[in-house]
Amino acid sequence: PRQPAKTLWYDRPRYVYLEFCVEDSRDVKVVIEDQRLVFSCKNADGLEFYNEINLYARVNSKDSREKRSNRSITCFMRKWKEKVAWPRITKENIKPAWLSVDFDNWRDWEGDEEVERAMVEQYAEV
């Protein structure tokens, strides 16, 4: 049986970030489309995780990536319309139980573009 992975998200001027919290993930598959993201993987115990998100707005799937670590898989998706805040990550105005705002990374955008650029470059180096 599949279950959704606990997911955190936050918004930036140019990118939207999603973090799927699965430790020791394997068989990770991330499909980023213009209006949808599909994530699946297994953990060390063989549990299967699956999340499908119809996105609030369009993203540039060609300029979007994911990065896997021991504790999670982080996706960053380039917004089609930059500097437009997303009030939520989902197209539908409902909040699934597995989805939360990442308040540790959520902040006002004022002067945030340099920080964001550094984050994206850090991910790109891996």
Side-chain angles (χ1 to χ4, degrees):
R2 299 190 304 190
Q3 65 186 55
K6 178 181 181 235
T7 308
L8 301 171
W9 82 281
Y10 58 101
D11 189 31
R12 286 286 192 273
R14 296 189 308 152
Y15 288 85
V16 177
Y17 295 81
L18 277 166
E19 182 179 8
F20 296 99
C21 304
V22 179
E23 291 192 18
D24 301 324
S25 60
R26 58 178 206 258
D27 301 335
V28 175
K29 292 186 187 70
V30 177
V31 179
I32 299 171
E33 300 171 351
D34 289 351
Q35 301 255 215
R36 187 173 79 123
L37 178 139
V38 178
F39 166 82
S40 65
C41 76
K42 290 179 182 169
N43 70 5
D45 297 329
L47 269 175
E48 287 187 43
F49 293 90
Y50 179 86
N51 298 62
E52 187 172 330
I53 301 170
N54 291 314
L55 299 169
Y56 172 77
R58 194 169 171 203
V59 296
N60 181 344
S61 56
K62 290 177 182 48
D63 193 15
S64 300
R65 297 188 183 85
E66 77 272 349
K67 177 188 172 198
R68 185 182 163 274
S69 73
N70 290 341
R71 297 180 49 207
S72 65
I73 299 89
T74 303
C75 303
F76 49 106
M77 300 175 289
R78 181 78 176 252
K79 293 177 177 180
W80 199 257
K81 290 184 180 165
E82 292 184 8
K83 299 184 181 174
V84 175
W86 287 26
R88 60 183 185 272
I89 191 76
T90 56
K91 186 175 190 68
E92 307 81 20
N93 193 7
I94 52 166
K95 188 188 158 300
W98 48 265
L99 182 63
S100 306
V101 170
D102 185 346
F103 287 107
D104 290 344
N105 285 304
W106 195 277
R107 62 174 75 88
D108 290 334
W109 287 359
E110 201 91 359
D112 205 29
E113 290 191 31
E114 288 302 312
V115 173
E116 183 182 36
R117 191 171 296 125
M119 281 175 66
V120 169
E121 286 170 6
Q122 174 193 337
Y123 281 129
E125 289 170 10
V126 174

